[in-house]
Amino acid sequence: MAGFDSVYHKIFGHAGMVAQLLRDFVAEPWLDDLELDGMERLNAKFHAETGERREGDMIWRIPRRGGGDTYLMLLLEFQSTPDRWMALRALVYVGLLWQHLVREKHLPPDGRLPPVLPVVVYNGDPRWAMPVALRELVGLPAATPLWRYQPEMRYHLVDEGAFSDDHLAARDTLAALLFRLEASPDPQRVVVLADAVLAWFGRHPGFDGLRPVFAELLGGLMGPLAPGVRVPEELLEVRNMLASRAEDWKRQWLQEGRLEGRLEGEAALLLRLLERRFGALPPGVRDRIAAADAAALETWGLRVLDAGSLDDVLR
């Protein structure tokens, strides 16, 4: 799903989608204190006094039933490698938000800072296993009195790939359907989910503004399988194009998978033969072999038996 940053920002720029995300994937008792239907998106482009600027993530102001506001900071992570320093980043971003509210005189009547909830939505691989609390990043013994002077920060993680399909299918929300689409590599399965998305929109007319965004999402899934093909802009037309081509795409996908598996096996065998003949391999050789095509692997494999040196094999 690399390259879907703008689509995700459009999806989670919709208040209803954010409310579903919180209800389904944060789901903590204190959410009952928030007026999720009254949330308002704020301009997230603000500056620190030092000139540092933070933009691209989303800030939502959510009224509390007892008065006052809570600010939701939605951090969308599209990188393939989880960020060890996310808790520190969250601390910096929350500080920038508070500075902005102080400077703009948007504090409540009592003059205190409003609470902030940082939520990280991660759609990459592998599964997120990084610290969610800043305390885990600070090098201090547990019993030291210095802890009282260290900042506290933690974020709530929504790791899309950590939810099973059964878990997601039990939730009748567009947010759950989004995560299921992300996790589905099978073109025929994507068609089934596209039908579920269309049916969901039919039952929830208040979300019609997101129909073209999901058409764009499905079109992006189609792109690598149909280079150069014009993707329709209407959701139903995209679904129908997916359905008409799904069988061919699945066959192509399986053939490419088999080819990739065969190349990996040939590369592994060649590496073992080279190490047996010439000992430890110099840096860069493994990467060169991993990137080679079938013809190069076959040529090098034939040379191993007679070559006098590693250079003779790979020339």
Side-chain angles (χ1 to χ4, degrees), residues 50-119:
T50 60
E52 183 178 359
R53 183 175 178 176
R54 177 64 197 167
E55 59 180 295
D57 297 315
M58 296 187 179
I59 308 294
W60 291 88
R61 183 186 63 81
I62 309 176
R64 295 200 303 273
R65 298 184 191 281
D69 297 317
T70 291
Y71 286 82
L72 167 67
M73 181 169 285
L74 201 57
L75 310 173
L76 304 176
E77 285 297 301
F78 303 101
Q79 58 196 24
S80 59
T81 304
D83 186 355
R84 169 177 169 78
W85 302 105
M86 177 55 72
L88 177 59
R89 286 173 56 191
L91 175 68
V92 173
Y93 302 163
V94 169
L96 289 174
L97 172 61
W98 277 337
Q99 284 185 347
H100 172 78
L101 296 175
V102 170
R103 184 168 54 249
E104 299 297 320
K105 297 181 172 57
H106 289 163
L107 298 179
D110 61 11
R112 295 192 295 177
L113 297 171
V116 179
L117 168 64
V119 174

Side-chain angles (χ1 to χ4, degrees), residues 290-312:
D293 59 20
L297 292 174
E298 182 179 358
T299 299
W300 295 339
L302 292 173
R303 289 177 183 169
V304 170
L305 300 176
D306 303 317
S309 69
L310 183 61
D311 288 338
D312 289 339

